[in-house]
Structure formats: C-alpha cells, structure tokens
Amino acid sequence: MRLTPDAWIFWQYGFISLNATIVFTWVLMAVLVLGGALITRRLTTSHERSRWQNLLEIVVTTIMSQIKDVGLKNPHHYLAFLGTLFLFVAIAALATVLPGYEPPTASLSTTAALALSVLVAVPLFGISSQGLMGYLKSYLQPTPIMLPFNLISEVSRTMALAVRLFGNMMSGAMIIAILLSITPFFFPIVMTLLGLLTGMVQAYIFTILAAVYIAAATRSSKAVKVPSPAPAA
Amino acid sequence: MLIDWFTVGAQLLNFIVLVWLMKRFLYQPVLNAIAAREQKIAATLADAATTEAEARRQQREFEQKNQAFEQQRADLLQQATKAATAEGERLRAEAARVADKASAMRAKALATDTEHLHAEIVRRTQQQVFAIARQVLDDLAGASLEQRVCEVFVQRLQAADDEALSALGKALRDTSEATPALLRSAFELPAAQQTAIQAAMDETAGQTIALKFETEPDLVAGIEISAQGQKLAWSIEDYLSALSSAPHTAHESDATVAA
C-alpha cells in the first residue's frame, strides 16, 4: 500500500522521477484543456447554445460570482488562477471513481505545489493591486509588532492549505483501499460517494481560502469603515 | 518522506502551464462568448427600446391624428347639420310660400267661380223673376208685362225730380233725326207702348223728338233711354240688384253683431 502516488514510479533518472502524480496530473491537464478547447471551438453568441457550452458558462459564471462574493471586485482578473485551482482539485477528486486512478491531490507534493502557488500568487496580486510598498505595509498592520506573526501566518496558512487537502484526499483513498481489502463490495461504494463529496468540498474550501487570502492582500491597507449604528428613534 | 521536491517543482510548473492553457482555451473564449451575447442582448434591448420609442411616437402621432380627425369630423358634422337645418328652413319657407301662393290662387279661383256662379244665379233669377212677374201681371192685371213696364217707365219719367228731368229734357231737345235719342228695351215694344213712350218723351222735352227703338235682352224686362250722354232707365235688374245685395248686407250685419 502506497501512502502517496509519488511512490508509484514509472521511470526514474537520478532525482528525476516520472511518478503517478505527474502522469495523472498530465492526464487531468489533457482532459481539462482538450475538453475545454473542444467545447469552446463551437461557441455561439446567439441565444441557442449547446448544453456543453451552457455547462461551461454556468461553471465559469458560478466561479466568478463566488470570487465576487468573497470580496474581489474584478473577478475576471483572478478567474484563471482561482478557477483552475478549483477545477483541477475538483476533477482530480471526481476522477477517483475510475479504477486504477490515484488523485494527484493525494500527494503532499501536489498540494504543497498548489499551496506554494497560492503563497506566491497572494503577494503578486497584492502588489499589482496596491503596489509593493502598500503590500509590504500590510505586514505591519495593525502594528509593526505584528510583523513576525504576520509572516508566521503566511507560512502556516500555506502549510495548512497543503496538509488539509492532502490529508482529506489521501485519507479518502486510503480508506477505500483498506475497505476494499476488508469488505470488498458495499462499503467501498459508499465511501467512494463520500470521497466524491469530500473532494468537492475540499476543492471549494481550497479555492475560497485562496480567494480570501488574495482578497485580504489586495485590500489590507484600505481602512474598513464600520458603519455607525443608527441613532435610536 | 512524503514530499518529493522534484514532484513539487514539476507540479508547480504543471499548474502554471495549466493556468495558462485554461485561460487560453477555456476561460477567455467562454468569457468572450458571454460578453458577445450580453452585447448582443444589450443591442437587442436597445433596438427594442428604440422600436418601442418609435412605436410610442407613432402611437402618439396616430392618436393626435385621430383626435384631429375626430375634431374635423365633428366640425364637418356640425357644419353639415347647420347647413341641413338652414336648407330645411329654406325649403320650409319656400314650401310655405308656394303653399300660400297656391292657396291664394285657389282662393282667387274660388272667388272667381263664386262670382261667376253668383252672376249666373243673378241672371237666372232675373229670368225667373221676369217670367214670374210677367205671369203674375198677366194673371192679375190682364195686361202684358211689357205694357206694364212701359207704364212704369212713363210713371218714373214723370215722377223724376226736376233737376234730372230738366237735364234729360235738354238732352232730348238736342236730338235730331241724325242723332236720335236711343230707347232700348228688353223686348220688342208694341206700337201702343212706343206711341205712349214717344208721347211721354215729347211731353218731357216740350217738343217732338227723334226717338229710335232698339231691343236689348240684357236689360231684363227694363227700358232705358239715352240721349246726349243723359240716361234714364228702369228694369227688373234694379230690384234684383237690391235683392242680391240684401242677403250680403244681412250677413254682414249678423257678423258685426256677433263680433
């Protein structure tokens, strides 16, 4: 039993190893990109459109509305990053119904890479939104004393992102593998269904947390005015 | 070790590539399609708004035209009504005038008929009276009516007032054989009556005068003498005239009393 698909190595040369994590990631990338390209090849702008186009538009507009609900004013700007995060994690979880498949997100290397990308993307979006100095000042908020804690927060929340997703995905795959060896017929199906749900929830949580971090970075220096309560009549 | 740093790097690169590919092949086309559709819908809505505005404008224009048309129709109707009323009044007046004219003509014709009828009645009455009187005179006196008429004429001549008598005598004296006095009677006078009348004339004139006898049936049993513009006459017509005027007089008197 493998704890991580990293251990499923197809080819290795020195420290370069072609493991299941990378291969399944490529497969998912191919599915996402080819599927998207196939559907978007025949997009129509009229009122009549195909159900696949309709599905894609629903997915894209829903992601954008969620990004907007988090507090990011220009969702187009963040759609590529956050939308890809969500779709990749979600498709990786949904594909667990296929036999012989192991989700790349069950690898701590993948979740760490995704968390690192969030760790890099947050300051990039923050700097592009309020400038370098404005963003750096956000680490001194509310007082300079909070600088180390803010830095620790940055690192810890990145680690939390990585470990949370890895733990959930890995545990789901592990439980199914264990149950398959004990009660091969009924319970693995139920746990697979539960794993699908868990995977979707994790994709949502990962994306929303990334969006919240980006939102915090892009507006941290702006004073948030709390409306004073209306005087009693 | 759960983390393979080569895999981490590869996955990081994979993710970055995936982000770019997804943006290129999925998000951008979909967003473009949505934007194009929204633009098309906005254009359609704008067109609809324009069309609606145009429709409203045309509706207002139509309503205004309709209102003007109604007003014009009402005016024309009023004018037509007025003209028809005036024409009706004119026709009524014309009809009344024609009716009055016809009525006047009818009244005139009626009056003419009445007059003719009256004249005819008078004529027949004269004839009847003449016949009755002659018969009565024949029956009672044994003398002919003509004789009696002559007698009455002579009496009248003799009883005439002096002024009339002198005027007649002067006229009779001026007569000659060429211009004799003319005595007209309704009937052929017998020789005896002619002689009596000649004698009465001569006596009136104080000389023998030239006298010419003529017969004129219209005199209705009367005698008339005319000479040099002077005339003396007597006939039953005088009585008949009095008789014919008597009922009118009586009727008019009744009408006056009634008023």
Side-chain angles (χ1 to χ4, degrees), chain A residues 62-203:
Chain A
T62 305
I63 292 171
M64 285 177 65
S65 72
Q66 288 294 320
I67 294 171
K68 201 171 182 180
D69 287 346
V70 167
L72 293 168
K73 286 182 181 174
N74 188 11
H76 291 84
H77 195 49
Y78 312 101
L79 175 66
F81 179 70
L82 294 174
T84 307
L85 264 184
F86 174 78
L87 287 178
F88 178 71
V89 177
I91 296 294
L94 285 178
T96 53
V97 294
L98 300 173
Y101 167 80
E102 286 195 23
T105 46
S107 157
L108 189 58
S109 304
T110 305
T111 59
L114 295 179
L116 281 174
S117 68
V118 173
L119 179 71
V120 172
V122 167
L124 284 180
F125 283 124
I127 291 168
S128 73
S129 172
Q130 50 187 336
L132 178 63
M133 293 308 293
Y135 174 73
L136 290 178
K137 276 182 186 171
S138 68
Y139 285 100
L140 304 177
Q141 299 297 330
T143 64
I145 303 169
M146 295 297 289
L147 175 64
F149 300 103
N150 282 333
L151 290 174
I152 291 169
S153 165
E154 286 287 321
V155 176
S156 65
R157 77 188 185 190
T158 304
M159 287 174 63
L161 271 181
V163 173
R164 182 188 301 113
L165 181 59
F166 163 69
N168 279 283
M169 300 310 294
M170 184 271 289
S171 63
M174 288 297 291
I175 288 170
I176 292 167
I178 294 167
L179 284 176
L180 271 175
S181 60
I182 300 171
T183 54
F185 293 108
F186 181 69
F187 282 107
I189 297 173
V190 177
M191 291 311 294
T192 303
L193 288 173
L194 188 63
L196 289 177
L197 180 65
T198 310
M200 294 304 295
V201 170
Q202 287 307 313

Side-chain angles (χ1 to χ4, degrees), chain B:
Chain B
M1 185 65 182
L2 287 175
I3 291 183
D4 175 16
W5 288 107
F6 170 75
T7 306
V8 170
Q11 289 296 74
L12 199 56
L13 185 66
N14 282 337
F15 183 71
I16 292 168
V17 171
L18 182 63
V19 168
W20 182 81
L21 288 174
M22 291 290 272
K23 185 177 181 182
R24 168 76 177 75
F25 290 108
L26 184 70
Y27 301 126
Q28 206 57 50
V30 170
L31 289 177
N32 288 342
I34 291 173
R37 184 179 301 112
E38 284 177 351
Q39 199 171 357
K40 197 176 283 185
I41 290 171
T44 308
L45 287 176
D47 281 351
T50 308
T51 308
E52 188 182 358
E54 176 67 15
R56 287 191 186 283
R57 190 189 65 74
Q58 286 186 358
Q59 186 186 7
R60 277 198 300 275
E61 191 178 329
F62 172 75
E63 284 174 353
Q64 286 172 356
K65 281 183 179 175
N66 207 10
Q67 200 172 358
F69 172 73
E70 288 290 335
Q71 183 65 38
Q72 194 177 359
R73 192 178 69 90
D75 291 346
L76 286 175
L77 192 63
Q78 194 175 1
Q79 286 178 9
T81 306
K82 202 179 285 181
T85 306
E87 181 65 14
E89 288 293 329
R90 194 189 66 75
L91 288 175
R92 265 198 293 278
E94 178 73 15
R97 194 180 62 75
V98 171
D100 288 347
K101 192 176 178 183
S103 179
M105 286 177 67
R106 195 165 58 247
K108 189 177 177 184
L110 191 62
T112 306
D113 288 349
T114 306
E115 197 175 333
H116 288 165
L117 183 62
H118 187 256
E120 181 64 19
I121 288 171
V122 166
R123 193 182 63 77
R124 290 195 180 184
T125 305
Q126 285 174 344
Q127 288 176 353
Q128 290 296 322
V129 167
F130 172 68
I132 291 167
R134 182 167 57 183
Q135 187 62 44
V136 168
L137 288 172
D138 279 347
D139 290 349
L140 295 180
S144 70
L145 177 60
E146 289 81 6
Q147 183 184 354
R148 187 54 191 155
V149 167
C150 288
E151 287 175 5
V152 170
F153 180 73
V154 170
Q155 287 173 3
R156 284 263 180 133
L157 187 65
Q158 290 170 348
D161 55 62
D162 294 340
E163 189 181 351
L165 206 57
S166 63
L168 182 62
K170 184 177 182 301
L172 288 173
R173 280 191 294 274
D174 292 339
T175 58
S176 63
E177 286 298 328
T179 56
L182 184 64
L183 191 138
R184 292 188 300 172
S185 62
F187 43 83
E188 185 70 33
L189 290 174
Q193 274 77 34
Q194 286 188 4
T195 307
I197 289 171
Q198 180 72 54
M201 290 292 146
D202 293 345
E203 186 183 351
T204 302
Q207 64 178 41
T208 303
I209 63 167
L211 192 59
K212 183 184 178 185
F213 292 93
E214 280 186 1
T215 304
E216 177 59 55
D218 287 344
L219 285 174
V220 191
I223 294 174
E224 177 191 277
I225 185 164
S226 58
Q228 302 295 324
Q230 295 293 322
K231 184 189 277 186
L232 182 68
W234 178 88
S235 76
I236 294 174
E237 192 173 4
D238 297 335
Y239 296 103
L240 291 177
S241 296
L243 183 67
S244 68
S245 63
H248 289 292
T249 312
H251 175 72
E252 286 168 3
S253 303
D254 292 346
T256 309
V257 171

